[in-house]
Amino acid sequence: MSHGYQLVTWTPFKKRYDQFLVGVVVAGIAVFGGVTFALNPLANPVQVLMRAFGLVAIVLLHVILAIGPLARIDKRFLPLLYNRRHLGVMMFALAFIHGAIATFWYHALGTLNPFLSVFLSDWGSHPGAFPFQAFGAVALMILFVMAATSHDFWLANLTAPVWKSLHMMVYVAYALLVVHVGFGVLQAETSPVYLGILATGVVILTGLHLKAGRTETAADASVASPVESDGFVRVASLADLPLNEAVSACLNGDRVAVLRYEEDGVEKLSALSGICQHQNGPLSEGKYVKGCLTCPWHGYQYQPDTGASPPPFTEKVPTFRLRVSDGDVFVHPTPCPAGTRVEPVTLN
Amino acid sequence: MDTIVTIALGIIAAYLGVGLLFALPFVFIGVAKIDAPAASAGFWFKLILIPGSTVFWPLLLKRWLRGEPPPVEHSAHRTSAQSPPHP
Ligand code: HEM
Ligand code: FES
């Protein structure tokens, strides 16, 4: 799993995904250019190109931000999530081209350093003046750091929580861009249609995130149970556990994977931390494949009794003690250190 | 306003300039010392580490000097883990 990095771990699916993506981007730029020139044959080609790149980038950003909640609401969207980082890098590249054209076109001809000029223009006293380009530039810096750290190398070296907080900055960038685009559109357009589309995008994204958040909270709350005298907590009834498929329970601040599996003809029960060491993926929604609980996101594998990946891999997650009485499964909420073997419960 | 922006952009430019000077030797020599899988990785992989190394150079420089491997992250379960009692 973490053995050797590659630039991109290509699969036929990723190739098709990327070809489709490039096709959509090229088509988007062509359609915007065509329509603009049809409506206004005297439009400045540089400005049209700049606007086209900015528009395709912001549309792509909406798609990127919608995929996360969509995948949480409905698992059929998951394949889109796996390859989301290509979307992100592509979006950064488009936004960068837009910003670069704008910087050269509007700022490189004066005496002021063009980068300073991006931040200092539009502060003027004339009505409607607003430093919207500074908002775009700060957003672009955030997107740059995200694109620069999109490879798994950074995930391992910055650790998943730091990496995740860094990539949550996309919401800051998005807020800055709503302001930038809102005022940017006004530079060239008087029609309210553009602003209407932008507002619709903001409303849809907010709605999707609220809905996904509620689905998630409901799933986490459904497993709160009283603590037994020996400290164990009831997490499920044995009859509800599917064979070879983990069930998620929330214990000690995070999810636990409870797995009923068949090994060498014997049915067993184990519990391990439900958070994958790779990218904090939902291991507790994984399946038991070839002797290991397999993360649905990128297929990292963990032996159910030890929480360790099979050699030569070195990933490990914490394990949990468990027992069965009267057809109910009880798990002790205190985790054992990552990789500690816990004797599985044998079922007949 | 002008002075604040000028100073802020100057600091960012200086930081990234040092970062770029650091990134080149880091991705071709240093990275192999702090991240085992990266040691055997190809040229293009190393090349795409340059932008990130330019941004995170203080952290990577510290690890390179100390020869530290990537850390194991803390999750709620890792932090609260305890050895099980021996029955
Ligand atoms: C250094 C960074 C940036 C600069 C200097 C910049 C500059 C500009 C300028 C001057 C306009 C007005 C265009 C016009 O004349 O109509 C504009 C509009 C726009 N910008 Fe940016 N921008 C930057 C970053 C970004 C980023 C990161 C994004 C999005 C991902 C973005 C998306 C847009 C969009 C969608 C518009 C409206 C396009 C339209 O007029 O239809 N910009 N930007
Ligand atoms: S998060 Fe990538 S395999 Fe689990």
Side-chain angles (χ1 to χ4, degrees):
Chain A
M1 281 159 265
S2 67
H3 271 254
Y5 291 117
Q6 281 172 340
L7 185 62
V8 175
T9 326
W10 285 111
T11 61
F13 172 72
K14 280 194 199 173
K15 282 215 168 115
R16 264 182 286 129
Y17 191 107
D18 284 9
Q19 282 161 355
F20 177 74
L21 180 60
V22 170
V24 168
V25 165
V26 172
I29 293 174
V31 167
F32 178 79
V35 170
T36 311
F37 281 116
L39 294 176
N40 177 9
L42 297 177
N44 179 316
V46 179
Q47 203 186 2
V48 172
L49 204 60
M50 177 190 84
R51 293 180 61 195
F53 275 99
L55 279 173
V56 177
I58 196 76
V59 170
L60 210 51
L61 181 58
H62 279 85
V63 173
I64 292 169
L65 292 178
I67 290 176
L70 279 176
R72 262 180 288 154
I73 294 169
D74 189 328
K75 286 191 181 173
R76 276 171 298 178
F77 289 101
L78 269 174
L80 292 175
L81 190 71
Y82 302 152
N83 213 19
R84 191 161 57 155
R85 64 180 81 184
H86 289 201
L87 283 179
V89 173
M90 169 71 102
M91 188 264 303
F92 164 73
L94 296 166
F96 178 82
I97 295 172
H98 159 83
I101 299 178
T103 306
F104 279 102
W105 186 247
Y106 289 110
H107 304 281
L109 299 174
T111 46
L112 193 60
N113 174 323
F115 297 107
L116 278 181
S117 168
V118 166
F119 284 90
L120 293 176
S121 51
D122 318 308
W123 291 89
S125 49
H126 64 93
F130 184 83
F132 74 100
Q133 298 188 66
F135 282 74
V138 175
L140 190 62
M141 288 181 195
I142 295 175
L143 299 181
F144 165 73
V145 175
M146 291 178 47
T149 55
S150 62
H151 196 277
D152 264 0
F153 170 87
W154 295 105
L155 189 69
N157 276 272
L158 298 173
T159 73
V162 174
W163 190 85
K164 216 171 167 188
S165 337
L166 197 67
H167 284 241
M168 289 308 269
M169 294 277 288
V170 71
Y171 291 103
V172 177
Y174 179 66
L176 294 167
L177 284 173
V178 169
V179 177
H180 171 79
V181 176
F183 282 88
V185 162
L186 292 180
Q187 308 296 306
E189 298 290 335
T190 42
S191 129
V193 172
Y194 273 92
L195 288 179
I197 296 175
L198 182 64
T200 311
V202 175
V203 169
I204 291 179
L205 278 186
T206 315
L208 278 177
H209 279 79
L210 289 178
K211 169 136 175 58
R214 243 179 282 135
T215 316
E216 197 104 316
T217 322
D220 285 350
S222 66
V223 284
S225 291
V227 180
E228 299 287 295
S229 56
D230 55 358
F232 281 65
V233 177
R234 181 187 174 278
V235 292
S237 112
L238 192 54
D240 290 343
L241 296 182
L243 188 62
N244 296 333
E245 209 171 300
V247 162
S248 186
C250 192
L251 282 181
N252 209 325
D254 248 325
R255 277 168 230 185
V256 175
V258 182
L259 177 68
R260 184 165 77 95
Y261 57 106
E262 191 179 326
E263 190 179 49
D264 305 328
V266 185
E267 245 181 62
K268 297 179 179 176
L269 203 60
S270 285
L272 54 163
S273 183
I275 302 113
C276 181
Q277 199 187 331
H278 177 219
Q279 277 183 25
N280 291 354
L283 186 57
S284 52
E285 291 167 22
K287 290 202 163 87
Y288 180 74
V289 183
K290 293 195 187 130
C292 287
L293 179 58
T294 305
C295 177
W297 277 14
H298 317 91
Y300 274 41
Q301 296 173 306
Y302 303 87
Q303 291 157 343
D305 54 341
T306 61
S309 296
F313 304 112
T314 53
E315 285 77 16
K316 291 185 209 122
V317 296
T319 47
F320 289 82
R321 289 171 285 147
L322 75 174
R323 65 174 168 78
V324 173
S325 41
D326 295 337
D328 283 333
V329 182
F330 295 84
V331 173
H332 199 287
T334 305
C336 307
T340 308
R341 186 183 134 81
V342 171
E343 186 62 36
V345 173
T346 314
L347 308 165
N348 322 327
Chain B
M1 194 65 216
D2 298 25
T3 3
I4 301 174
V5 171
T6 312
I7 292 173
L9 284 189
I11 292 174
I12 294 175
Y15 176 87
L16 293 181
V18 176
L20 194 58
L21 286 180
F22 165 83
L24 293 170
F26 173 74
V27 303
F28 291 111
I29 305 166
V31 70
K33 304 224 158 59
I34 68 160
D35 187 287
S40 54
F43 174 78
W44 293 108
F45 162 76
K46 290 180 177 170
L47 216 58
I48 60 152
L49 295 185
I50 290 179
S53 310
T54 305
V55 176
F56 288 101
W57 65 267
L59 172 81
L60 299 168
L61 178 63
K62 191 190 93 190
R63 294 232 180 107
W64 187 3
L65 291 177
R66 297 189 187 167
E68 271 172 11
V72 172
E73 63 168 273
H74 294 281
S75 66
H77 287 165
R78 277 177 209 282
T79 313
S80 56
Q82 284 168 16
S83 294
H86 290 283

